[in-house]
């Protein structure tokens, strides 16, 4: 999945830890093998190859994740859209050569091959079809969260009830670290590859939680002084601007993953409205200030769980 996986297990005897961790890692690898679009023979790649021509019978889990993705596409008016793949590819964040923005013509062309409403699903036959040739599904905005949820389910089976899985910032914890009350989750400073803005303390005594963060810091290129990131607004065909980061806390990691990408695309006003409308969902938005520095907008239910780092001098917190 092009990112790092960390499994943290506490409160288990050493010999059990290896086994539990191995199961969690194997589960993430299994889902990667299913849903990768980098691997040309993965079931999702095969679906992408053929669904423009015919109904394709696919894997049950692919269908499940697709249905969740389509739910969030409808909920966000297409801000979250797993058919944005041709645009992501066009903007080309995955090569190492020098990048420049594509022409308007190319963007318009790629836009024709997107649109969640062009995906048809036949749940009874576990089949999918695209209404337009050249479309593709890219689970980059949701599959990591799904994989984390599945990995945590494996940990539970092994009795690792105080553990945490972190797949590239898609995190789910259960229980609490041995001897402590809550998990400390670092919220990254989206302006800087290694910096941290603050710590979010999450305790599963208050219910299940998953966390996900989206930002243009993971994959981007710079051209003539502007930064172009890997999260595309499917409504314009261009990378989102004006947001630095969005962190979502939700009852599970897949929901958090889909919503962090969604909120990032929607921006402050609509993003906050979406957070408020969803049961059990909280969020942190990091927005650049004209005068320099950032505003951290945090939903009220988690405001007292977030601690800004003392070393961060140019951030202002606002609660919504
Ligand atoms: P995340 O890091 O979860 O926010 O997901 C970002 C990834 O999702 C990108 O690298 C793309 O693969 C994909 N993506 C980009 N834009 C969108 C979008 N508007 N909706 C859904 N997925 C997207
Ligand atoms: Mg996401």
């Amino acid at each position: 999945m092009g990112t790092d996986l960390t499994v943290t297990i506490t409160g288990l005897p050493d010999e059990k830890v290896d086994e539990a961790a191995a199961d969690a890692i194997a589960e993430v690898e299994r889902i990667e093998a299913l849903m990768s679009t980098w691997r040309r023979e993965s079931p999702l790649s095969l679906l992408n190859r053929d669904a423009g021509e015919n109904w394709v019978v696919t894997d049950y889990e692919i269908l499940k994740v697709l249905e969740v993705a389509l739910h969030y596409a409808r909920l966000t008016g297409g801000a979250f859209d797993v058919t944005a793949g041709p645009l992501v590819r066009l903007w080309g964040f995955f090569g190492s050569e020098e990048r420049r923005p594509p022409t308007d013509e190319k963007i318009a062309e790629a836009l024709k091959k997107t649109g969640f409403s062009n995906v048809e699903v036949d749940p009874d036959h576990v089949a999918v079809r695209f209404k337009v040739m050249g479309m593709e599904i890219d689970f980059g905005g949701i599959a990591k969260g799904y994989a984390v949820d599945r990995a945590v389910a494996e940990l539970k089976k092994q009795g690792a009830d105080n553990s945490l899985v972190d797949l590239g910032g898609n995190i789910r914890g259960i229980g609490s670290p041995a001897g402590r009350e809550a998990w400390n989750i670092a919220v990254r400073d989206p302006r800087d590859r290694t910096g941290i803005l603050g710590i979010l303390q999450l305790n599963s005594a208050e219910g299940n939680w998953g966390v996900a963060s989206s930002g243009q810091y993971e994959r981007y290129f710079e051209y003539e002084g502007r930064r172009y990131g890997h999260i595309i607004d499917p409504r314009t065909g261009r990378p989102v601007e004006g947001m630095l980061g969005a962190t979502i806390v939700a009852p599970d990691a897949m929901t958090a993953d889909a919503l962090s990408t969604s909120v990032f695309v929607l921006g402050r006003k609509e993003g906050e409205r979406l957070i408020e409308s969803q049961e059990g969902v909280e969020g942190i938005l990091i927005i650049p200030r004209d005068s320099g520095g950032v505003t951290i907008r945090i939903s009220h239910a988690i405001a007292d769980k977030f601690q800004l780092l003392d070393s961060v001098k140019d951030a202002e917190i606002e609660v919504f």
Side-chain angles (χ1 to χ4, degrees):
M1 295 188 183
T3 193
D4 298 322
L5 169 65
T6 307
V7 179
T8 305
I9 296 170
T10 73
L12 267 195
D14 283 353
E15 64 276 10
K16 286 286 290 175
V17 168
D18 285 347
E19 202 184 327
D23 281 4
I25 293 165
E27 186 66 354
V28 172
E29 285 173 343
R30 186 183 69 77
I31 290 155
E32 177 176 38
L34 263 180
M35 301 184 186
S36 169
T37 48
W38 306 67
R39 301 191 190 179
R40 296 186 48 197
E41 296 305 315
S42 76
L44 186 59
S45 291
L46 297 179
L47 169 69
N48 282 337
R49 196 188 63 194
D50 296 335
E53 289 174 355
N54 294 302
W55 282 100
V56 174
V57 175
T58 189
D59 183 271
Y60 170 71
E61 283 180 285
I62 289 180
L63 194 87
K64 221 167 62 173
V65 173
L66 179 59
E67 286 186 321
V68 175
L70 293 174
H71 165 77
Y72 287 108
R74 288 187 285 268
L75 189 70
T76 61
F80 182 82
D81 190 339
V82 289
T83 70
L87 289 162
V88 177
R89 195 185 298 280
L90 175 68
W91 282 87
F93 300 103
F94 303 116
S96 53
E97 69 266 42
E98 201 188 313
R99 295 288 178 187
R100 53 168 64 212
T103 61
D104 290 350
E105 253 178 3
K106 291 257 189 230
I107 294 171
E109 235 170 74
L111 271 170
K112 285 186 203 148
K113 295 180 196 152
T114 67
F116 68 93
S117 54
N118 292 323
V119 178
E120 289 181 284
V121 174
D122 177 352
D124 294 336
H125 298 96
V126 196
V128 177
R129 184 171 72 174
F130 301 146
K131 288 187 197 160
V132 178
M133 286 278 274
M135 283 182 58
E136 56 192 83
I137 288 169
D138 162 17
F139 281 156
I142 189 167
K144 291 196 269 301
Y146 178 67
V148 167
D149 287 333
R150 296 298 325 146
V152 163
E154 290 302 312
L155 291 175
K156 280 187 185 158
K157 273 192 215 160
Q158 293 284 347
D161 293 328
N162 297 289
S163 53
L164 180 138
V165 176
D166 177 351
L167 179 58
N170 294 273
I171 302 170
R172 181 152 173 187
I174 47 176
S176 58
R180 303 233 303 270
E181 275 195 357
W183 293 99
N184 286 338
I185 307 297
V187 176
R188 281 172 58 174
D189 188 333
R191 297 166 298 178
D192 140 12
R193 274 196 171 275
T194 51
I196 288 169
L197 277 181
I199 303 288
L200 197 53
Q201 287 206 318
L202 295 172
N203 187 337
S204 23
E206 294 168 42
N208 292 329
W209 58 267
V211 175
S213 296
S214 293
Q216 302 290 43
Y217 44 80
E218 286 164 63
R219 298 195 178 97
Y220 63 87
F221 69 86
E222 271 162 6
Y223 183 75
E224 294 185 339
R226 264 166 89 174
R227 180 180 284 200
Y228 298 92
H230 66 134
I231 302 174
I232 305 285
D233 186 335
R235 301 163 301 184
T236 63
R238 291 164 196 282
V240 174
E241 290 182 276
M243 279 281 278
L244 285 170
T247 294
I248 294 291
V249 184
D252 59 74
M254 176 161 60
T255 304
D257 193 0
L259 285 176
S260 74
T261 311
S262 301
V263 167
F264 193 86
V265 176
L266 286 173
R268 173 177 157 182
K269 235 172 112 188
E270 282 185 77
E272 290 180 4
R273 208 176 295 148
L274 178 63
I275 290 167
E276 284 171 333
S277 73
Q278 300 297 297
E279 184 74 29
V281 172
E282 306 299 335
I284 302 175
L285 280 67
I286 302 160
I287 296 155
R289 275 201 312 244
D290 291 342
S291 54
V294 293
T295 301
I296 301 174
R297 302 266 310 167
I298 182 161
S299 61
H300 60 270
I302 54 168
D304 63 343
K305 298 177 164 59
F306 180 75
Q307 182 75 48
L308 189 68
L309 244 58
D310 286 340
S311 56
V312 178
K313 303 288 183 205
D314 60 350
E316 197 174 90
I317 294 187
E318 288 175 10
V319 177
F320 69 92

